Amino acid sequence: MKRTAGKTKRVLAVLMFTVMTVTCLSACAGGEAEIRPPWHPSDIQKPVQESEPAAVTQTPENAPAGSTAADPAPVQTPEKTEAPEDGQAPEEPDADSAGANPDPAGIQGIARLGDLVGKYTMWLFETQKGQYIFVDTEDSHNPYDLTWRYGPDTNRLKEVESPGWDALYRSYVDACDWSLVFDVEYYKKAFPMLAKLYHDNDALLLEHFQTQGVHEGRQASANFNVSAYMANCDGVLVDAFGENYECYYFYYMLNQNTQKSVSTKNSDSAYPRWLTLELSMQQSDEYKGVNNYRERAKAAPIEIDPEIVALANYRAWTDAEYNLYAHDWIADPANDKEIYDILRNLSCDRLGENTVKWYSTDNKNGRDMFVVSYARSKDHYDAMVSTSYCYFGCSNPYWSDNPDNPFAEDGGTGYVCQFDLFAASQPHIPYELG
C-alpha cells in the first residue's frame, strides 16, 4: 500500500455481525467542432437563471478549463406539435436533419439526455489514475454523499465538452413537476438505507432521485414505476430511449396530455423497484476488483445491491464524522438497537465488512485501490472471497478534517475511511409498497 506524504496510520478490519452476536476481527495493513449547441426547454416553464449556482459540491480542484462557465443561452425551439387524438406521441422531424431543432419536451429532444452521463469522478480518475474524489463530511450542502453533475458520454460526443450540458440537465429538472413520480415518504420506505444515509433529509433525497435515482430506474412513488411505463407506453419511446431510464421520467412528466392515461403502477410488485446502479469510478473499480479476486478463488461473482451500497456509505460517514477507529461504532453497546434495526430493515441476519482508514497531514492523497489492500490481509481476503456472501456494496472514501481527530499524527487532521460490505442474502424491504 502506498504511503501518503507525512506519516500515515492505516487499519483494516473485518467485522461479522449477526442478529444475536457481534464479533469483530481486526488486522493491520498497512474545439470548436460542436455537433449542435445545447438547448433549454424554456418554452415549457422557465430557463435556468444565469445566476443559479450549479448543484455540485465535490468538484475536483483541477477540473477541465471552463467547467464553471455560465449556462448557455437557450436556442429557439419550434412551437409544440399537438398530439393526435388517439393519445399517441406525435411524429417528429429527424433530429439529425440539417436545421432540425427538436421540441425540447418531445421524443428527440429528451432522447439527447441519454448522451449525458454522471461525471463527478470521471475526468479526474481518467487523467490521474489513483486519485480519488472524496465525500467531504464538512460540506455545507451535502455531507452524506457525492453530488452528480452531467456531461456528454465521451464515447459518442467526443467533440462536445461544453459546461452547458450540466446546465441543460438541470433545466429539465427545473421544468418538471416531480410530484408526478416522486413521493419522499415512499422513497424512504422503498430504500430505507438510502434514507438513513441522507439522514431523512427530504430535499437531498429529492436531489438524489433527480440526479441519480432516475438514471437507475428507481421507483419513488406508488403511482409510477418506470418498468411499468416502459411496458405500457408507445413502443416509439422505447426505440428512442432504450435503457436511458431518465428519459422516460422526463417524457412522462413533460407530456401529461398524452401520457397520463398510460398504466404506470407496480401492481402486485410485478416490476422491479430499481434497474441499475450509477456508481462512481472508484466504486465501479472496487466492485470489479472484488469479483476478480473471487474468480481467482473459484467463488461465484458477487452481486451489487443499492441498499448495501447506501449502508456502506453510511458506515464510512459515521466513522469519518465522529473520528471513530476501526469498528468502534459497532462495538459500542449504545448502538445495538440501531444495528439491529439496520438488519431488520434489510431482512438480513448478518453482514460482513472490510474497512480501511488512514490519516494524512497533507490533504487527500492518492493510494492503491482498496480491494488491493484488503487482499493483503488473510481475514479481509477470506471475507472478500467467501462463498457465504452473495451480495455486495462499497462506499466512496469519506474525508473529515475535524481538528479533534484523536489518531492524527504530527498535527495532521485529515481522516479518510472506506467500507466494503457483504451480505449472505439479498436485502428484502419488509414494507408493504404499492
Side-chain angles (χ1 to χ4, degrees), residues 282-301:
Q282 56 259 44
Q283 284 176 310
S284 179
D285 280 1
E286 186 76 3
Y287 177 43
K288 291 174 185 176
V290 167
N291 272 334
N292 284 339
Y293 280 109
R294 291 179 69 87
E295 183 178 11
R296 295 178 202 174
K298 311 291 187 193

Side-chain angles (χ1 to χ4, degrees), residues 231-306:
N232 295 305
C233 69
D234 192 308
V236 70
L237 298 183
V238 179
D239 291 341
F241 301 157
E243 295 182 353
N244 294 313
Y245 304 118
E246 67 279 9
C247 295
Y248 297 94
Y249 294 90
F250 285 117
Y251 189 84
Y252 178 79
M253 287 185 285
L254 295 174
N255 292 276
Q256 281 290 287
N257 58 330
T258 61
Q259 300 304 298
K260 64 183 178 182
S261 62
V262 178
S263 177
T264 60
K265 286 193 175 182
N266 190 6
S267 301
D268 300 320
S269 298
Y271 299 100
R273 289 182 299 106
W274 62 281
L275 296 171
T276 188
L277 286 177
E278 291 279 305
L279 301 174
S280 69
M281 184 67 79
Q282 56 259 44
Q283 284 176 310
S284 179
D285 280 1
E286 186 76 3
Y287 177 43
K288 291 174 185 176
V290 167
N291 272 334
N292 284 339
Y293 280 109
R294 291 179 69 87
E295 183 178 11
R296 295 178 202 174
K298 311 291 187 193
I302 203 163
E303 295 184 32
I304 201 160
D305 181 88

Side-chain angles (χ1 to χ4, degrees), residues 146-331:
L146 291 173
T147 300
W148 291 87
R149 73 186 312 163
Y150 282 86
D153 179 340
T154 54
N155 291 326
R156 288 177 285 175
L157 298 172
K158 292 181 179 179
E159 59 270 60
V160 179
E161 289 292 346
S162 166
W165 287 108
D166 188 60
L168 164 66
Y169 186 87
R170 288 185 290 110
S171 71
Y172 271 88
V173 170
D174 289 345
C176 291
D177 177 2
W178 288 91
S179 67
L180 296 169
V181 297
F182 181 82
D183 173 355
V184 71
E185 295 305 320
Y186 182 98
Y187 207 45
K188 291 175 183 179
K189 280 194 171 184
F191 303 102
M193 291 303 103
L194 181 69
K196 188 173 190 64
L197 168 62
Y198 281 93
H199 290 63
D200 291 314
N201 185 306
D202 292 2
L204 289 179
L205 285 166
L206 173 58
E207 182 180 290
H208 174 275
F209 180 68
Q210 292 170 334
T211 58
Q212 185 173 349
V214 293
H215 293 262
E216 299 173 329
R218 294 202 190 212
Q219 182 172 352
S221 166
N223 297 319
F224 186 89
N225 176 282
V226 73
S227 293
Y229 182 51
M230 292 170 67
N232 295 305
C233 69
D234 192 308
V236 70
L237 298 183
V238 179
D239 291 341
F241 301 157
E243 295 182 353
N244 294 313
Y245 304 118
E246 67 279 9
C247 295
Y248 297 94
Y249 294 90
F250 285 117
Y251 189 84
Y252 178 79
M253 287 185 285
L254 295 174
N255 292 276
Q256 281 290 287
N257 58 330
T258 61
Q259 300 304 298
K260 64 183 178 182
S261 62
V262 178
S263 177
T264 60
K265 286 193 175 182
N266 190 6
S267 301
D268 300 320
S269 298
Y271 299 100
R273 289 182 299 106
W274 62 281
L275 296 171
T276 188
L277 286 177
E278 291 279 305
L279 301 174
S280 69
M281 184 67 79
Q282 56 259 44
Q283 284 176 310
S284 179
D285 280 1
E286 186 76 3
Y287 177 43
K288 291 174 185 176
V290 167
N291 272 334
N292 284 339
Y293 280 109
R294 291 179 69 87
E295 183 178 11
R296 295 178 202 174
K298 311 291 187 193
I302 203 163
E303 295 184 32
I304 201 160
D305 181 88
E307 285 289 88
I308 305 179
V309 169
L311 179 57
N313 279 323
Y314 178 76
R315 287 291 292 113
W317 175 87
T318 300
D319 281 19
E321 174 68 7
Y322 297 113
N323 295 319
L324 298 178
Y325 182 74
H327 295 279
D328 289 352
W329 184 83
I330 291 289

